[in-house]
Amino acid sequence: MRLHNLENRSKQGYASFGSVWDKGEAKEGEFVLTNGEGKPIPLQTRITARWPDGSVKWAAHTADAGLMGDAVTVEPALEGPGEAPCSAPRGKPLAREEKDCYLVDTAMLSARIPRAEAAFLAEDLRLDGKDGISKIIPALVIENRKSKGDTVYIEDASYQGRVHSVSLEENGPLLCVFRFEGTHCKGEVDGRASWPFTARLYFYAQSSQIRCVYTFFYDGNEERDFLKGMGLRFDTWLSGAPYQRHVKFLTDNTKDGQGICFHEAAVIMNCINPKLPPQALEDQMAGVVKTYPEGSVEDLAALDLPVWNRYSLCQDSPDHFLIRKQTEDAYCAIDCMHGKRAPGSMAVSGANGGIVVALKDFWQKYPGGLEVSNLNGDRALCTAWFYSPEVSAFDFRHYAARSYPASSYEGFPYTGASPYGIGVTSECTITLTGSVPSDTAMTEIMRRTRKPPVYIGTPEEYHRKRAFGFWSLKKTDTEVESWLEEQLEKIAGFYIQEVENRSWYGLFDYGDVMHTYDGIRHCWRYDMGGFAWQNTELAPTYWLWLYFLRTRREDVFTLAEAMSRHCSEVDFYHFGPMKGIGSRHNVRHWGCSCKEPRISMAGHHRFYYYLSGDHRIGDCMADAKDADKSMINVPYYIRHGPGENRTSLRAGPDWASFVSNWMTEYERTLDAGYRQKIETGIKDVNAAPLGLVSGPEYIYDAESSHLIYQGENDEAGMHLAICMGEPQVWLE
């Protein structure tokens, strides 16, 4: 299978990518990767889906994009004399298991990962054996609000995350992946939330960089618990005098295509008495770490200059950031620089080196922040804030005390607008450095974080193998075909531009689009019930991903990736009574009283999972696999029979959504129970008088998976059986 790196994507760093195979074509998990010159490239592989006969359907691969180049070929490895060699690396796995921890060694970076409960994700991270990061710790700040009469009392509560379980998901010579589950306060305390999280750390061979994917879940009381701050803290060892402690923030200023950094130090070598030579400041701003002799003019000046112990950058909107600094908590912070869109990268270093932290989609998922405090201490506290505590707390409450089903298309008279069980995922990289990184190095690290390499096959190959079912290749042979292709191109371009025009950005919003346009107000109906956020309604995910498969446009991939990341987290419930079910389109993503399995079905996100191998999307699809068992908890689905395990639902989109979940779980695990659920329902539908267009309402038995025919009912909305991704599910 031939794959190409998308345009406008980094050509450096490790790439994870998928490959698809015909039934029986690849029977084992070993593959060969060669670059454009035919040279073998080390490759690490895991199987992500299988055909019913056990052969490989989809595989996820990891390799070094710097070795891969623009195009590569991946093939199943052959065995036997004279046949193609396997390009799987033969070195040792990066992680090894010890009594109380895992030890990771990438040949550049080493780390200790806990095996049991711990107050950190990783500790003792070192670059070439030298001090780096003491600990990586989840950090959370919740704003608690209480009302007494007309007075509202506000108190901020800070939590440090605690890991409860750790699993080593992948462990090979190129990549090892750790998955963590934990809470920010263990168990229930005075009826308060536990604030669960999941995280993954990715370590790569011969690399000093770690990738982190972090998911925050809301299990609080929206009337009381507001999100004030959420992120990861890196306790970083620093050495040297205060004038050797450097801070750099990448800004939106550029020169010759390279980013320009805001760059200062804890003590800035600029003094009038004693007068310092200009060379001292020039060297410092060039990143030269000098040690001045005790008693020298530079040493004496440094002793009498202010020590700036804290620096922070806050992206408080999609179009504004502010850098501030402070000597001590007891004194004011002063403004250093205003700008529009910070890329989202910070470097903190001392005489021994330090770290570079870069956040993916930083300004797009505002309000984010980067902060270093205790800059002059033995351990500087560097924090990647996925939600910055320097802005107003996020309010999870609904926009009104009631619903508006008649006027605003909101479903039912009650609101049902609970955020309990939703999640949001953020991503960053942490790079250990032995010196003050240059602006060029900061720019390249940020580019690899924001636009990592993405290797994709040709539309013809995906189409021939019926990847993701039945769809068409681009055709312009006739006037009608040309017109249709032109319309598709215009629509894709329109929505990509509307994200920017309408500022569809924010931690809980980025990736979604609006449902209905108001031609009189000339804006989207952002404030009108079921006409606001799309929440996968009418399957924009399918549209974008299928259009991407036909065109390989990088801008389409970027929007589709953001949509899958958002919709798979914010728009449906990952735990609680409605686990696996999503909220229909609304002003708030979780606001509609209609809780529907079609919103959260795995079909929306299989594209991203199989094309990229993303582990977190796999978690989300697994969260939906038993959505049918949660239907008894949805108020407006009528229960029937003993134990209330039977509910009224439609063949489409309800049962079809379950089929999407079951098919995905079956091909990922070959668990025959999920295949049986599909076959049981198919037999029941075939037995109905009109087949797929029967009903469309059935009684569904969650225990037996049977659909019980209830006769014909034109009022139930037959059109919904074919407009939410159902034909795609059934055909595949």
Side-chain angles (χ1 to χ4, degrees), residues 249-254 260-262 312-324 335-344 362-363 366 368:
F249 294 107
L250 196 59
T251 72
D252 52 359
N253 296 322
T254 60
I260 298 175
C261 287
F262 169 90
S312 70
L313 182 153
C314 176
Q315 182 80 42
D316 54 24
S317 81
D319 297 305
H320 177 260
F321 71 85
L322 170 63
I323 298 174
R324 310 180 87 191
D335 295 357
C336 306
M337 176 184 179
H338 289 263
K340 292 185 178 179
R341 291 175 169 175
F362 181 66
W363 58 264
Y366 81 95

Side-chain angles (χ1 to χ4, degrees), residues 31-47:
F31 292 83
V32 176
L33 183 70
T34 54
N35 63 14
E37 300 174 353
K39 296 180 179 179
I41 306 298
L43 182 71
Q44 184 171 316
T45 297
R46 82 177 197 274
I47 307 307

Side-chain angles (χ1 to χ4, degrees), residues 56-235:
V56 177
K57 185 176 183 181
W58 285 92
H61 311 284
T62 299
D64 187 342
L67 300 176
M68 294 166 70
D70 290 329
V72 292
T73 300
V74 60
E75 299 173 291
L78 301 177
E79 298 179 357
E83 295 182 336
C86 176
S87 59
R90 300 303 184 188
K92 294 181 180 179
L94 299 184
R96 73 175 190 268
E97 190 172 334
E98 297 291 328
K99 182 179 180 180
D100 59 347
C101 70
Y102 296 97
L103 296 180
V104 179
D105 187 354
T106 73
M108 290 185 68
L109 180 152
S110 61
R112 294 167 59 91
I113 307 296
R115 287 185 56 199
E117 286 208 18
F120 53 85
L121 303 181
E123 66 174 348
D124 199 18
L125 292 91
R126 298 176 182 271
L127 178 66
D128 296 327
K130 300 177 183 177
D131 291 348
I133 299 174
S134 170
K135 285 182 172 62
I136 300 178
I137 304 168
L140 178 70
V141 184
I142 296 295
E143 180 180 286
N144 302 131
R145 297 187 187 182
K146 295 180 181 179
S147 298
K148 191 173 183 179
D150 295 333
T151 304
V152 178
Y153 297 90
I154 296 177
E155 179 184 12
D156 289 346
S158 296
Y159 299 99
Q160 182 170 296
R162 185 165 189 85
V163 173
H164 301 313
S165 66
V166 182
S167 57
L168 180 55
E169 290 187 316
E170 281 196 64
N171 189 22
L174 297 184
L175 166 70
C176 68
V177 182
F178 291 93
R179 184 181 187 275
F180 307 84
E181 290 189 5
T183 58
H184 288 89
C185 97
K186 188 177 179 181
E188 292 285 330
V189 180
D190 297 329
R192 294 186 180 274
S194 59
W195 307 115
F197 69 85
T198 64
R200 282 182 173 86
L201 294 181
Y202 294 73
F203 296 86
Y204 302 95
Q206 302 290 333
S207 175
S208 61
Q209 187 172 94
I210 307 162
R211 176 176 174 239
C212 178
V213 178
Y214 181 83
T215 304
F216 164 80
F217 298 102
Y218 188 86
D219 71 342
N221 179 342
E222 66 267 27
E223 301 297 328
R224 179 189 64 206
D225 300 319
F226 296 67
L227 179 61
K228 182 61 177 175
M230 180 264 293
L232 292 173
R233 178 164 291 132
F234 312 99
D235 288 2

Side-chain angles (χ1 to χ4, degrees), residues 451-471:
K451 293 281 189 179
V454 174
Y455 286 84
I456 297 294
T458 64
E460 291 76 15
E461 179 115 30
Y462 291 126
H463 182 264
R464 182 184 67 78
K465 293 181 177 178
R466 290 299 181 195
F468 308 110
F470 288 75
W471 46 276

Side-chain angles (χ1 to χ4, degrees), residues 312-606:
S312 70
L313 182 153
C314 176
Q315 182 80 42
D316 54 24
S317 81
D319 297 305
H320 177 260
F321 71 85
L322 170 63
I323 298 174
R324 310 180 87 191
K325 66 181 181 181
Q326 193 174 16
T327 57
E328 296 179 39
D329 289 343
Y331 302 100
C332 75
I334 64 171
D335 295 357
C336 306
M337 176 184 179
H338 289 263
K340 292 185 178 179
R341 291 175 169 175
S345 181
M346 172 182 73
V348 177
S349 57
N352 63 319
I355 67 171
V356 178
V357 182
L359 278 67
K360 189 176 189 294
D361 296 330
F362 181 66
W363 58 264
Q364 292 94 332
K365 299 182 80 168
Y366 81 95
L370 291 159
E371 178 189 6
V372 56
S373 58
N374 198 35
L375 183 57
N376 192 34
D378 293 335
R379 290 195 303 183
L381 304 181
C382 304
T383 308
W385 290 111
F386 303 127
Y387 192 96
S388 172
E390 296 189 17
V391 303
S392 299
F394 189 86
D395 189 343
F396 291 90
R397 294 175 296 177
H398 198 45
Y399 73 93
R402 53 161 292 191
S403 179
Y404 298 87
S407 61
S408 296
Y409 190 34
E410 288 198 301
F412 298 93
Y414 57 89
T415 58
S418 173
Y420 184 90
I422 69 162
V424 65
T425 291
S426 304
E427 184 176 333
C428 69
T429 60
I430 311 102
T431 306
L432 272 64
T433 65
S435 59
V436 181
S438 66
D439 289 10
T440 300
M442 293 275 288
T443 301
E444 179 55 33
I445 290 171
M446 188 70 250
R447 177 168 174 75
R448 291 203 307 265
T449 302
R450 182 170 176 260
K451 293 281 189 179
V454 174
Y455 286 84
I456 297 294
T458 64
E460 291 76 15
E461 179 115 30
Y462 291 126
H463 182 264
R464 182 184 67 78
K465 293 181 177 178
R466 290 299 181 195
F468 308 110
F470 288 75
W471 46 276
S472 66
L473 290 172
K474 184 176 180 179
K475 290 184 67 177
T476 56
D477 296 339
T478 67
E479 182 178 347
V480 172
E481 289 171 344
S482 297
W483 180 84
L484 285 170
E485 295 296 339
E486 181 183 347
Q487 297 309 303
L488 287 170
E489 182 178 357
K490 286 181 177 180
I491 294 168
F494 171 76
Y495 272 97
I496 290 169
Q497 192 58 48
E498 279 296 272
V499 173
E500 171 66 9
N501 292 342
R502 308 293 176 172
S503 290
W504 289 338
Y505 299 119
L507 179 62
F508 291 94
D509 293 335
Y510 179 57
D512 210 347
V513 295
M514 289 279 175
H515 186 283
T516 303
Y517 190 75
D518 190 326
I520 297 176
R521 291 193 294 169
H522 293 292
C523 67
W524 293 84
R525 293 181 181 175
Y526 67 94
D527 57 352
M528 196 171 177
F531 298 103
W533 290 114
Q534 191 82 10
N535 281 33
T536 76
E537 184 78 1
L538 301 177
T541 46
Y542 277 84
W543 160 58
L544 278 174
W545 282 118
L546 290 172
Y547 188 65
F548 168 72
L549 288 177
R550 300 169 86 251
T551 63
R552 290 199 304 186
R553 280 176 50 176
E554 192 274 340
D555 55 350
V556 175
F557 179 91
T558 298
L559 179 56
E561 178 185 41
M563 184 173 288
S564 277
R565 184 67 82 196
H566 164 86
C567 294
S568 68
E569 299 287 2
V570 181
D571 293 346
F572 83 91
Y573 299 105
H574 300 268
F575 52 79
M578 285 181 284
K579 180 179 179 180
I581 300 173
S583 294
R584 201 183 63 155
H585 40 111
N586 196 255
V587 173
R588 307 305 313 264
H589 293 286
W590 48 88
C592 188
S593 56
C594 291
K595 307 302 181 183
E596 303 280 355
R598 69 174 183 258
I599 300 300
S600 55
M601 68 179 183
H604 296 297
H605 312 303
R606 294 170 69 250

